[in-house]
């Protein structure tokens, strides 16, 4: 028979916002000691009055608990309960200290004052207009978010994103979601198609609804772009959409046509006999499609922004190539002799070719592996342009890469986003075709990281009279975003390319450089003699042993032997996110080893992750308002419980995150090799194990090794290293950029 229990929530032991499951410690009527109540609530706050219906059970591990089938909460009515309620973090700007002060003035009327007459809070000592406004807005948001949470949970949907939904849609959130739940998957970061689809079906949208079919097509194309594809073959889109939804083919075909009519997607059918090549890899090879099929396709479907970006890159490259070079008439051979004398160096012939191309061609590509002299050639090009008093600009996709470019050239280098001057107020870049960059030469480093969208934004901002030198290593992993821009430029034949092959004498003494080139040529890397090198292979077969050795190296051995800071200087890079040796688990282990808990005031748990003051974190999406971008690594310098913000320092700049926005961050004691692109660290530690079999491939290991500057250690099995070295990358990216670059004009049927 069901029992009823009521009382005040003293403490929240656990609360999962995804499913509402909670463990509460309650001061219940008729019980002297606190009792444990377990059940489900969309939102729960310490100090609330709770009524629960259920039965008592005895748990072997946790003892006696009240397992609730239904829990209802109401705001507290006593002064003591209200003080606990307000001081629990419910309202921004009100911690335990201010909660006690407010309740002391208003007593049991406190919540009514905050809701209806917050201006009266000025009567409380220490509370000024700014804090009153913060409290008022936070209270209003809480009421709305609670309604959204209750609405979502009534349909069995997790409520962790409720704050984001409110921020996106405001007071009309529930109404808008009811009208079209699929918009959640496109508008709200962290809400996928499956979650939106589950809600839509529960709201009564038919399984074969055109609205559902259109949402599924958009999802398939979006997932494709997340996997690097700019577009996808139409038969593949139809096939995958049918598999996802079980909607008949003819409805999917109709949905595609509807999306084309509304200009949300574009079909492009290049006039090329025999169909188009299936796809290109980051290394530029044409091969089989995803799923292992090697057939050609007649057309690709694109999300409109990606189509416009790909078309824009091709048009920009062709427009730039057609103009006159900004350098005045120059004797190239004489200029080469002059710059060699100035830099006190004699260039190899390929290096001389690279300088010749830069001073005679409007767009050129310089590629090569570590130690081949790319930086030296960039410096030489800059010397020649500067000697003619031409304005030069240097940029790279990430802050770390820009900093390294600046250090190596002695000139200011900026991230592409800062070069293009993003304006958060208008939500776009200030620099564009209409307001081009003020320069005659643009050097772009780490071009292998450029996805098609960012490449388009950059190239359209280059003035017609300028020239561009693109520098990068085509053998690294392709960009995290859609496209293989560097590989497509190289393979198209549309721009001159110089590939540096020779490793120079000074670089050849580095075991890291030797290892990188060995891996790139399909050979197993050789470990340096103990204590006499910068590249080591530490053998360990069991995953637990690999983890133990990584922790010991990061925490103790590397700092002691090399004098490196385990937070600032040492980076663990894993081939995968999941598995025992994946990024997520390594972060948990390293966080406990390097930054253990120091009390609840210094940490906050959100979205399945506990963030602590002192933690190393990585941004997981571009946030133009904060000017923090996907892959940026920072350090948590403060956790403010009262104002509910976490402060993260990125390159000396503090950036604040609301607790509700912490899904933009992940721990970064370990990151994926993909996320490390464009970065360089004094020391890199890479687990390499057969657990990573799916991801083990040559360009992945090569990219990881080339991230280390002073020390690289592979920890794992030699068998796994051998697998990685002998497997060339077979993943392919669908794109028509190479074809567009080869056409007399960028063609499209749209």
């Amino acid at each position: 028979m069901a029992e009823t229990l009521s009382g005040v929530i003293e403490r929240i032991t656990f609360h999962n916002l995804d499913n509402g499951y909670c463990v509460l410690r309650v001061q219940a009527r008729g019980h002297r000691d606190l009792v444990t109540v377990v059940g489900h609530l969309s939102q729960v706050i310490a100090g609330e009055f709770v009524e629960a219906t259920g039965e008592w059970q005895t748990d072997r591990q946790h003892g006696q608990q009240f397992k609730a089938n239904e829990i209802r909460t109401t705001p507290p009515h006593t002064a003591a309960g209200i003080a606990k309620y307000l001081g629990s973090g419910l309202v921004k700007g009100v911690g335990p200290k201010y909660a006690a002060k407010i309740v002391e003035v208003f007593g049991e009327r406190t919540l009514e004052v905050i809701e209806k007459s917050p201006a009266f809070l000025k009567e409380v000592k220490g509370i000024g207009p700014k804090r009153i406004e913060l409290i008022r807005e936070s209270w209003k948001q809480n009421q709305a978010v609670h309604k959204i949470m209750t609405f979502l949970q009534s349909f069995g949907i997790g409520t962790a994103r409720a704050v984001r939904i409110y921020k996106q849609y405001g007071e009309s959130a529930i109404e808008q979601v009811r009208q079209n739940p699929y918009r959640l998957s496109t508008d709200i970061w962290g809400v996928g198609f499956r979650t939106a689809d589950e809600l839509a079906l529960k709201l009564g949208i038919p399984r074969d609804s055109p609205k559902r079919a259109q949402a599924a097509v958009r999802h398939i194309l979006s997932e494709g772009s997340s996997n690097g594809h700019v577009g996808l073959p139409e038969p593949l889109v139809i096939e995958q959409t049918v598999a996802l939804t079980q909607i008949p083919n003819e409805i999917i075909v109709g949905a595609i046509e509807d999306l084309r009519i509304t200009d949300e997607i574009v079909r492009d059918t290049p006039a090329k006999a025999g169909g188009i090549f299936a796809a290109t890899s980051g290394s530029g090879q044409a091969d089989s499609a995803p799923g292992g099929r090697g057939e050609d396709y007649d057309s690709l479907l694109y999300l409109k922004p990606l189509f416009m970006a790909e078309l824009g890159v091709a048009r920009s490259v062709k427009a730039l190539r057609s103009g006159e070079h900004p350098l005045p008439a120059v004797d190239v051979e004489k200029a080469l002799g002059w710059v060699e004398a100035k830099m006190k160096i004699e260039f190899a012939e390929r290096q001389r070719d690279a300088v010749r191309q830069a001073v005679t061609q409007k767009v050129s590509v310089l590629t090569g592996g570590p130690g081949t002299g790319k930086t030296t050639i960039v410096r030489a090009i800059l010397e020649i342009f500067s000697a003619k008093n031409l304005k030069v600009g240097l940029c790279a996709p990430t802050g770390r890469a820009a900093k390294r470019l600046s250090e190596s050239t002695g000139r200011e280098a900026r991230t592409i986003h800062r070069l293009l001057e993003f304006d958060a107020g208008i939500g776009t870049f200030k620099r564009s075709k209409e307001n081009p960059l003020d320069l005659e030469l643009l050097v772009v480093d780490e071009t292998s990281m450029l996805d098609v969208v960012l490449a388009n934004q950059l190239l359209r901002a280059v003035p017609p009279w300028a020239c561009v030198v693109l520098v990068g290593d085509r053998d690294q992993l392709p960009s995290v975003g859609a496209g293989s821009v560097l590989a497509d430029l190289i393979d198209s034949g549309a721009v001159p390319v110089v590939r540096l092959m020779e490793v120079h004498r000074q670089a050849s003494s580095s075991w890291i450089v030797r290892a990188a080139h060995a891996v790139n040529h399909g050979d197993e890397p050789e470990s340096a003699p103990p204590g006499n090198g910068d590249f080591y292979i530490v053998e360990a077969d069991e995953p637990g042993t690999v983890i133990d050795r990584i922790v010991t190296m990061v925490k103790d051995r590397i700092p002691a032997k090399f004098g490196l800071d385990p937070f600032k200087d040492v980076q663990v890079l894993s081939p995968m996110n999941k598995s025992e040796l994946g990024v997520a688990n390594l972060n948990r282990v390293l966080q406990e080893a390097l930054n253990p808990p120091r009390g609840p005031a210094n940490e906050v748990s959100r979205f399945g992750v506990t963030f602590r003051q002192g933690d190393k974190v990585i941004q997981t999406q571009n946030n133009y308002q904060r000017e923090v971008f996907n892959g940026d690594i920072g350090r948590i310098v403060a956790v403010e419980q009262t104002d509910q913000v976490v402060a993260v320092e990125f390159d000396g700049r503090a950036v604040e995150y609301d607790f509700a926005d912490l899904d933009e961050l992940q721990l970064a004691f370990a990151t994926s090799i993909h996320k490390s692109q464009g970065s360089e660290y004094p020391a890199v530690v890479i687990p390499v194990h057969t657990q990573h079999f799916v991801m083990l491939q040559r360009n992945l290991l090569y990219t990881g090794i080339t991230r280390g500057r002073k020390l690289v250690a592979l920890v794992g099995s030699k068998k796994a290293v051998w697998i990685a070295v002998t497997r060339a990358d077979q993943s392919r990216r669908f794109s028509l950029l190479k074809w567009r670059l080869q056409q007399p004009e960028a063609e499209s049927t749209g």
Side-chain angles (χ1 to χ4, degrees):
M1 183 177 175
E3 297 184 51
T4 301
L5 179 144
S6 62
V8 176
I9 300 171
E10 287 291 322
R11 188 168 69 250
I12 300 162
T13 303
F14 177 78
H15 187 211
N16 184 333
L17 282 175
D18 288 325
N19 58 24
Y21 178 76
C22 57
V23 179
L24 312 175
R25 295 287 283 166
V26 176
Q27 183 63 67
R29 289 174 180 169
H31 295 264
R32 187 178 64 180
D33 299 325
L34 296 179
V35 301
T36 300
V37 177
V38 297
H40 291 79
L41 280 169
S42 60
Q43 186 179 37
V44 59
I45 302 156
E48 283 185 308
F49 186 78
V50 62
E51 289 186 350
T53 303
E55 58 185 23
W56 290 98
Q57 292 185 349
T58 300
D59 183 275
R60 288 184 180 180
Q61 185 176 353
H62 301 105
Q64 194 176 47
Q65 298 178 335
F66 189 82
K67 186 175 181 181
N69 301 319
E70 182 183 1
I71 304 178
R72 293 188 301 275
T73 60
T74 55
H77 304 295
T78 66
I82 292 170
K84 179 178 286 293
Y85 182 70
L86 281 181
S88 67
L90 169 70
V91 180
K92 287 183 182 180
V94 181
K97 177 182 167 185
Y98 278 114
K101 284 185 175 184
I102 294 170
V103 172
E104 186 179 343
V105 173
F106 299 108
E108 294 175 4
R109 293 176 47 244
T110 295
L111 300 183
E112 183 182 355
V113 169
I114 291 174
E115 182 168 359
K116 297 180 179 178
S117 309
F120 287 145
L121 291 173
K122 65 184 180 183
E123 296 176 22
V124 180
K125 188 177 180 181
I127 295 185
K130 284 187 178 179
R131 191 170 294 274
I132 289 174
E133 181 60 21
L134 181 64
I135 292 169
R136 188 187 71 78
E137 283 298 320
S138 180
W139 182 267
K140 178 184 174 184
Q141 175 176 299
N142 274 328
Q143 304 309 300
V145 168
H146 182 65
K147 289 179 183 176
I148 297 167
M149 284 180 164
T150 304
F151 166 72
L152 292 174
Q153 199 164 61
S154 68
F155 291 98
I157 304 297
T159 57
R161 314 287 171 184
V163 175
R164 283 199 186 279
I165 294 171
Y166 171 74
K167 287 182 177 178
Q168 178 70 29
Y169 304 133
E171 301 292 334
S172 64
I174 292 176
E175 179 187 344
Q176 292 197 48
V177 172
R178 278 188 182 278
Q179 287 177 356
N180 183 11
Y182 290 108
R183 65 185 303 167
L184 288 173
S185 61
T186 54
D187 293 348
I188 309 299
W189 164 256
V191 178
F193 171 80
R194 285 174 177 82
T195 299
D197 192 41
E198 185 180 343
L199 178 57
L201 294 174
K202 288 179 178 177
L203 284 168
I205 292 178
R207 288 187 173 274
D208 60 353
S209 161
K211 188 182 292 185
R212 182 172 184 247
Q214 290 175 31
V217 169
R218 281 193 299 264
H219 168 71
I220 294 299
L221 289 173
S222 180
E223 283 286 289
S225 69
S226 298
N227 293 323
H229 305 294
V230 188
L232 286 176
E234 189 163 355
L236 202 61
V237 173
I238 295 170
E239 177 187 316
Q240 292 183 2
T241 307
V242 169
L244 177 67
T245 63
Q246 283 74 56
I247 294 176
N249 272 42
E250 59 271 17
I251 295 178
I252 302 299
V253 170
I256 290 171
E257 290 309 308
D258 290 341
L259 289 169
R260 287 186 64 238
I261 290 168
T262 57
D263 211 25
E264 291 185 62
I265 68 173
V266 175
R267 177 190 292 124
D268 205 4
T269 307
K272 184 172 181 180
I276 63 170
F277 54 84
T280 58
S281 72
S283 56
Q285 297 166 299
D287 205 346
S288 61
R293 298 176 310 183
E295 67 227 62
D296 284 344
Y297 295 99
D298 293 324
S299 64
L300 292 188
L301 291 178
Y302 293 81
L303 292 169
K304 180 69 175 291
L306 289 174
F307 172 77
M308 296 305 297
E310 185 178 271
L311 197 61
V313 170
R315 286 175 171 170
S316 291
V317 169
K318 292 176 182 181
L320 283 170
R321 287 198 63 206
S322 65
E324 290 187 11
H325 199 282
L327 269 177
V330 61
D331 184 325
V332 177
E333 299 308 311
K334 187 176 179 181
L336 274 165
W338 172 82
V339 78
E340 284 181 323
K342 183 172 175 52
M343 295 177 65
K344 298 178 181 177
I345 190 171
E346 185 177 343
F347 298 142
E349 190 54 35
R350 282 190 185 233
Q351 291 180 313
R352 295 171 71 88
D353 285 342
V355 177
R356 289 188 188 102
Q357 297 286 21
V359 300
T360 59
Q361 300 290 325
K362 287 290 298 300
V363 182
S364 61
V365 171
L366 173 61
T367 186
T372 55
K374 296 191 300 294
T375 300
T376 300
I377 295 310
V378 168
R379 285 172 49 213
I381 293 166
L382 293 172
E383 290 285 356
I384 293 172
F385 275 76
S386 297
K388 297 295 184 180
N389 296 316
L390 297 183
K391 292 181 181 178
V392 300
L394 287 79
C395 66
T398 68
R400 285 175 178 265
K403 185 178 180 182
R404 192 168 70 250
L405 180 61
S406 184
E407 289 169 351
S408 64
T409 60
R411 299 170 185 266
E412 181 190 14
R414 286 177 281 178
T415 64
I416 294 172
H417 291 91
R418 291 204 168 92
L419 179 75
L420 297 179
E421 301 175 25
F422 184 82
D423 187 332
I426 58 176
T428 188
F429 294 105
K430 289 182 180 177
R431 296 293 183 173
S432 63
K433 187 175 182 179
E434 292 72 30
N435 181 30
L437 297 163
D438 183 18
L439 46 74
E440 279 87 27
L441 167 68
L442 177 65
V443 176
V444 187
D445 200 11
E446 295 286 357
T447 310
S448 62
M449 292 187 66
L450 268 186
D451 61 54
V452 70
V453 173
L454 189 56
N456 179 47
Q457 295 285 1
L458 178 62
L459 292 173
R460 69 193 295 267
V462 178
W465 56 84
C467 63
V468 178
V469 177
L470 302 167
V471 185
D473 184 349
R474 72 165 295 161
D475 295 318
Q476 289 187 25
L477 290 167
S479 59
V480 174
S484 301
V485 174
L486 179 62
D488 287 342
L489 280 166
I490 291 171
D491 294 332
S492 70
V495 297
V497 178
V498 174
R499 180 162 191 164
L500 302 179
M501 308 284 287
E502 182 183 345
V503 178
H504 293 280
R505 192 180 310 157
Q506 187 175 357
S508 66
S509 64
S510 164
W511 288 81
I512 294 175
V513 172
R514 287 191 220 172
H517 284 277
V519 169
N520 202 29
H521 289 107
D523 300 324
E524 291 188 61
E526 187 178 351
S527 185
N532 189 28
D534 54 12
F535 175 82
Y536 298 97
I537 300 175
V538 179
E539 292 190 57
D541 289 325
E542 294 300 319
T545 306
V546 174
I547 290 174
D548 290 343
R549 291 191 176 167
I550 287 174
V551 171
T552 301
M553 291 172 72
V554 174
K555 185 179 179 183
D556 302 316
R557 292 186 64 185
I558 292 175
K561 185 169 184 179
F562 296 91
L564 298 175
D565 185 306
F567 287 88
K568 294 179 181 177
D569 302 326
V570 185
Q571 186 61 54
V572 176
L573 302 177
S574 177
M576 294 181 71
N577 285 307
K578 297 180 180 178
S579 85
E580 190 177 354
L581 293 173
V583 170
N585 189 56
L586 287 171
N587 267 318
R588 285 190 288 269
V589 172
L590 289 165
Q591 183 190 44
E592 289 304 303
L594 297 172
N595 194 30
R598 298 189 301 277
N602 294 309
E603 64 181 45
V604 58
S605 295
R606 287 293 187 278
F607 308 103
V609 179
T610 296
F611 297 96
R612 295 181 187 136
Q613 185 174 336
D615 278 345
K616 185 159 68 168
V617 292
I618 186 169
Q619 176 78 11
T620 59
Q621 63 161 308
N622 290 338
N623 188 311
Y624 295 104
Q625 279 67 39
R626 292 190 176 99
E627 290 189 56
V628 185
F629 305 103
N630 190 0
D632 286 355
I633 289 180
R635 190 96 180 263
I636 295 177
V637 292
V639 178
E640 299 289 347
Q641 301 290 350
T642 299
D643 293 336
Q644 297 180 37
V645 296
V646 168
V648 182
E649 186 177 285
F650 293 96
D651 292 326
R653 183 174 66 96
V655 178
E656 288 191 346
Y657 292 78
D658 288 349
F659 284 179
D661 293 334
L662 289 176
D663 55 345
E664 291 186 16
L665 298 175
Q666 287 293 331
L667 296 176
F669 298 99
T671 67
S672 68
I673 294 176
H674 284 84
K675 287 282 189 184
S676 73
Q677 288 174 260
S679 296
E680 191 177 76
Y681 313 93
V684 164
V685 179
I686 306 173
V688 185
H689 196 272
T690 50
Q691 269 194 2
H692 302 140
F693 181 81
V694 175
M695 296 298 294
L696 290 178
Q697 57 195 32
R698 191 178 303 162
N699 63 350
L700 186 94
L701 185 58
Y702 173 75
T703 300
I705 291 172
T706 55
R707 299 307 91 202
R709 189 165 68 245
K710 296 180 180 178
L711 174 69
V712 173
L714 306 185
V715 185
S717 66
K718 283 212 164 186
K719 180 181 179 181
V721 175
W722 177 82
I723 291 170
V725 166
T726 54
R727 288 172 69 193
D729 177 19
Q730 295 301 312
S731 63
R732 301 291 176 254
R733 295 189 165 195
F734 284 107
S735 168
L736 288 177
L737 179 58
K738 174 182 169 183
W739 173 80
R740 294 188 201 285
L741 290 165
Q742 292 170 333
Q743 303 311 300
E745 291 183 5
E747 297 176 5
S748 165
T749 61

